[in-house]
Amino acid sequence: MDYEKYNDQPEFKAALHEMFTSLDDSILNDPKYAAVIERIVEPDKIITFDVKWKDDQGNIRVNKGYRIRFNNVNGVYKGGLRFHPSVNLSILKLLGFEQIFKNYLTGLPMGGAKGGSDFDPKGKSDNEVKNFCYAFMKELYPYIGVNIDVPAGDIGVGGREIRYLYEAYKEYSGKSDCSLTGKPLDLGGSLCRTEATGYGVTYFARGALKTYKDTNFKGKKVIVSGSGNVALYCLKKVTEYGGTVIAMNDSNNTIYAPNGIDFETMRALKEDRRGRIKEYKDLVNDEVTVLDRKDIWSIKCDLAFPCATQFELDIEDAKKLIANGCIGVFEGANMPCTLDAANLFIKNKVIYSPGKASNAGGVAVSGLEIEQYLKNEKWPFEEVDLKLKHIMKTIFKNCYDTAKELGDEYNLIKGANNFAFKGIADKMLSL
Ligand code: NDP
């Protein structure tokens, strides 16, 4: 695989490097897969547009909008929208490429896509966010639909943004189908979608802890980075399983709470008030230290869940975690660990799960949201949660069994990539 031509897209190049250095020789040396490799690294279509929206002062502002349809061999294009100033083609290609394999791992019929904008919802009024979402959808709506391409949320696109986006979709298209997932319940969303990614990574970790170390969450000190959707519901499920989440962060600060972080206080701070994490200290009557964002990985813990953003945990952080006795690192975010950090975990027999496997719960429940729409059904929370548990258990088993078959039991990167690449490649060859 010639990565050099992607030198101007470092994030995408990192994703390709991770995939193609982990594939087994039986795939890499098989001539029938060579042509697939060439095809699979190029998106089917890249849609780019300008988003012109009005701020509260009446000025017209412009941001870039994107939708990358990567591959639909496994079903409709499916993947979230990210609104963050760092968004560019390289990051979206990284995420879209990963999404192809993640979606295959869920066992549901979904292809890979990603999209978003360099718009920053932080610090904007509700009215400005609404104006932006309507302007974004005005450009995107002709391209999406339940049988073609179904976006969802991601960083910066939560329940509020999905509501505006879906209302705009209905207004511009005149349709009311399941062309967006992660919708609020009153707009046809699925129960358990909000919780799905955070719960899913915890279910995955539970299976891995049992299989590799014959242990569970009880009494474990846990770090969960970030404090957005994934991090919050990871905090909730880990706590329910008997773990103590002692540290979380946002893009400014880390909080260290040795007696544990209270889910409801944190949820209300982040979801209801959109506050900053350092404010948590003033909301509880307990020992809390406010540190720098990066200090999070220096805190001694048994388990770590990077749930914030890509490349937030590098090799120096990995060394600290290993020296402090951490036994498992489970990615809730997309590619939060650099590849050398991940390889160091694997070498040291720290259980390490790549995001494409362990954070697939979100897109899995998005797939279930589409299924409910198509069947005209509404499933109770417990039913969706049970299906999610089953999906995460199956993902772990497929990754683990494949890694073991390849003689590298601790290498879940190899497990996930070989299982999913072969599945997708065989489908592409059968067309
Ligand atoms: P949110 O926007 O809800 O939250 C992101 C969180 O990460 C915020 O707390 C943000 O803090 C924090 N953050 C951003 N950059 C940094 C940084 N450099 N260091 C520390 N914290 C940081 O996003 P989600 O929770 O939805 O997504 C988190 C990750 O999970 C992303 O990688 C996403 O792609 C992935 N993911 C999400 C899924 C979902 O269902 N939501 C599904 C699968 C993957 P601040 O407020 O300061 O910006």
Side-chain angles (χ1 to χ4, degrees), residues 258-275:
N259 301 318
I261 294 171
D262 178 63
F263 167 72
E264 190 41 42
T265 310
M266 185 60 87
R267 191 208 61 74
L269 170 65
K270 299 305 287 187
E271 277 187 357
D272 299 345
R273 290 184 35 223
R274 296 175 186 275

Side-chain angles (χ1 to χ4, degrees), residues 82 102 122 154-156 193 197 226-230 249-251 276 293 307-309 332-334 359:
R82 175 176 292 194
K102 181 190 304 195
K122 229 187 290 167
D154 188 63
I155 292 181
R193 176 60 186 89
T197 310
S227 44
N229 171 260
V230 181
N249 67 359
D250 62 16
S251 51
R276 306 306 299 157
R293 162 179 75 85
C307 294
T309 193
N334 283 314
N359 74 23

Side-chain angles (χ1 to χ4, degrees), residues 56-241:
D56 285 346
Q57 285 68 47
N59 304 309
I60 301 295
R61 311 266 293 268
V62 186
N63 285 92
K64 279 272 163 237
Y66 306 89
R67 183 70 180 164
I68 300 185
R69 291 180 174 175
F70 227 111
N71 184 301
N72 68 351
V73 75
N74 194 47
V76 291
Y77 295 106
K78 185 86 197 82
L81 298 172
R82 175 176 292 194
F83 292 169
H84 193 272
S86 65
V87 162
N88 58 36
L89 262 187
S90 173
I91 288 183
L92 294 182
K93 282 177 73 178
L94 146 79
L95 296 167
F97 184 70
E98 287 278 289
Q99 199 80 43
I100 305 170
F101 305 102
K102 181 190 304 195
N103 292 0
Y104 178 80
L105 286 171
T106 66
L108 299 170
M110 299 180 288
K114 202 78 192 181
S117 170
D118 56 3
F119 171 77
D120 188 359
K122 229 187 290 167
K124 304 287 189 307
S125 70
D126 257 10
N127 185 50
E128 288 176 324
V129 170
K130 183 174 180 182
N131 286 350
F132 177 80
C133 288
Y134 270 73
F136 183 89
M137 191 48 84
K138 196 168 184 185
E139 302 299 327
L140 187 65
Y141 86 89
Y143 300 101
I144 65 172
V146 67
N147 296 313
I148 304 170
D149 184 350
V150 186
D154 188 63
I155 292 181
V157 181
R160 172 183 64 167
E161 289 77 15
I162 290 285
R163 175 180 294 282
Y164 292 145
L165 288 165
Y166 189 61
E167 283 171 356
Y169 171 78
K170 288 206 300 190
E171 187 173 319
Y172 295 130
S173 71
K175 293 181 195 157
S176 175
D177 60 12
C178 190
S179 55
L180 275 174
T181 58
K183 297 186 293 297
L185 294 178
D186 61 312
L187 294 179
S190 173
L191 286 162
C192 197
R193 176 60 186 89
T194 305
E195 294 82 355
T197 310
Y199 279 18
V201 65
T202 316
Y203 296 150
F204 186 100
R206 195 187 193 206
L209 284 170
K210 177 81 192 134
T211 304
Y212 282 106
K213 310 272 185 192
D214 195 21
T215 187
N216 57 37
F217 280 100
K218 289 208 177 73
K220 300 282 188 301
K221 303 274 182 213
V222 182
I223 291 177
V224 177
S225 69
S227 44
N229 171 260
V230 181
L232 279 175
Y233 290 92
C234 178
L235 159 68
K236 185 168 187 217
K237 193 49 81 178
V238 165
T239 310
E240 276 174 27
Y241 279 157

